[in-house]
Amino acid sequence: VSELDRRQLGLSPALLEEKCMEAHTLQEVFELLADELFAQWQRADMSGEPHAVSEVDAVDWRMIAWRQTALHCVEEYLEANGKTNHEILKALDAFNELWPESASEHEAPAEPPILALAHLMIKDEGFFNEALEDAEVSNDDLDLTFSAQVEVSADIAGSLKQVSLSSGEDLVGQVFKVLMQELRRKWRKPRDCGVHTLVSKLHDEPPS
């Protein structure tokens, strides 16, 4: 057995599978892998920490979750409605152009409007969750018990089934309409339930 094996260094397929089983989200998978890399870094008597640890912390995981959820729903909608491959690719190209994975993918110097709006809405979601945690609300309503994950609770797939759209522009518009409606619904819930400690922390409407 080599010195490398005795120190159990390296990310094997079995280790990756183990971390995937432990995690509930993609973010948790990468955080667990970063923790494992840091532990191995120490076992190898290396100074500092792996560069990947800080890189994982810098990833905008909420943006990834929002975008990938929306993209998945749009792809399913297009396929379920019998669109041709050409129509699907054209719509997805428009989706990616309007809502790129990051501003660096866009040639324009300014952040694309849809990406900027998504950032603002995610910031509102984060503010709501922080206010909910600080308020220590005692309420049976699920919206006031668990942190908001707007992309999950918004019925994007269901809303797309109610419309007849084909262009990427219209589909992105419908997605954001539903996401904003859900964000606003979450925002109103403390007022509807009379949770005044939380109402006082929130604006009447999400700033976005």
Side-chain angles (χ1 to χ4, degrees), residues 30-121:
F30 278 87
E31 288 175 344
L32 288 169
L33 289 174
D35 291 343
E36 176 64 26
L37 279 172
F38 183 68
Q40 293 188 18
W41 203 265
Q42 292 181 315
R43 286 201 296 271
D45 297 324
M46 300 178 69
S47 60
E49 66 177 22
H51 181 62
V53 172
S54 59
E55 288 294 313
V56 167
D57 291 338
V59 172
D60 190 346
W61 294 106
R62 293 303 297 138
M63 178 63 77
I64 291 174
W66 275 46
R67 186 180 182 278
Q68 291 305 113
T69 299
L71 184 59
H72 174 71
C73 291
V74 166
E75 288 177 335
E76 284 199 330
Y77 169 83
L78 291 168
E79 291 171 1
N81 282 272
K83 303 299 181 183
T84 65
N85 287 338
H86 175 73
E87 289 174 323
I88 292 174
L89 289 175
K90 184 179 179 181
L92 294 180
D93 283 346
F95 181 102
N96 291 323
E97 177 69 20
L98 290 167
W99 193 357
E101 291 187 8
S102 66
S104 61
E105 292 185 5
H106 206 267
E107 294 181 359
E111 188 174 51
I114 291 295
L115 186 60
L117 176 58
H119 275 131
L120 290 174
M121 293 172 68

Side-chain angles (χ1 to χ4, degrees), residues 45-200:
D45 297 324
M46 300 178 69
S47 60
E49 66 177 22
H51 181 62
V53 172
S54 59
E55 288 294 313
V56 167
D57 291 338
V59 172
D60 190 346
W61 294 106
R62 293 303 297 138
M63 178 63 77
I64 291 174
W66 275 46
R67 186 180 182 278
Q68 291 305 113
T69 299
L71 184 59
H72 174 71
C73 291
V74 166
E75 288 177 335
E76 284 199 330
Y77 169 83
L78 291 168
E79 291 171 1
N81 282 272
K83 303 299 181 183
T84 65
N85 287 338
H86 175 73
E87 289 174 323
I88 292 174
L89 289 175
K90 184 179 179 181
L92 294 180
D93 283 346
F95 181 102
N96 291 323
E97 177 69 20
L98 290 167
W99 193 357
E101 291 187 8
S102 66
S104 61
E105 292 185 5
H106 206 267
E107 294 181 359
E111 188 174 51
I114 291 295
L115 186 60
L117 176 58
H119 275 131
L120 290 174
M121 293 172 68
I122 290 170
K123 183 179 179 180
D124 288 346
E125 177 193 64
F127 182 80
F128 177 91
N129 287 336
E130 289 176 7
L132 181 62
E133 183 177 353
D134 292 343
E136 298 182 351
V137 175
S138 178
N139 193 292
D140 292 334
D141 193 292
L142 295 181
D143 286 322
L144 303 177
T145 302
F146 301 103
S147 295
Q149 289 183 285
V150 172
E151 83 287 0
V152 175
S153 57
D155 187 10
I156 298 174
S159 75
L160 290 175
K161 291 177 182 178
Q162 306 302 317
V163 296
S164 178
L165 304 171
S166 58
S167 74
E169 292 82 358
D170 290 341
L171 288 166
V172 170
Q174 179 66 19
V175 165
F176 271 84
K177 176 182 177 181
V178 176
L179 289 171
M180 183 58 81
Q181 287 174 341
E182 177 62 10
L183 183 60
R184 295 180 68 191
R185 186 191 69 80
K186 291 274 190 183
W187 215 265
R188 289 193 301 268
K189 185 55 70 79
R191 193 176 305 277
D192 294 343
C193 293
V195 183
H196 302 296
T197 55
L198 191 52
V199 171
S200 64

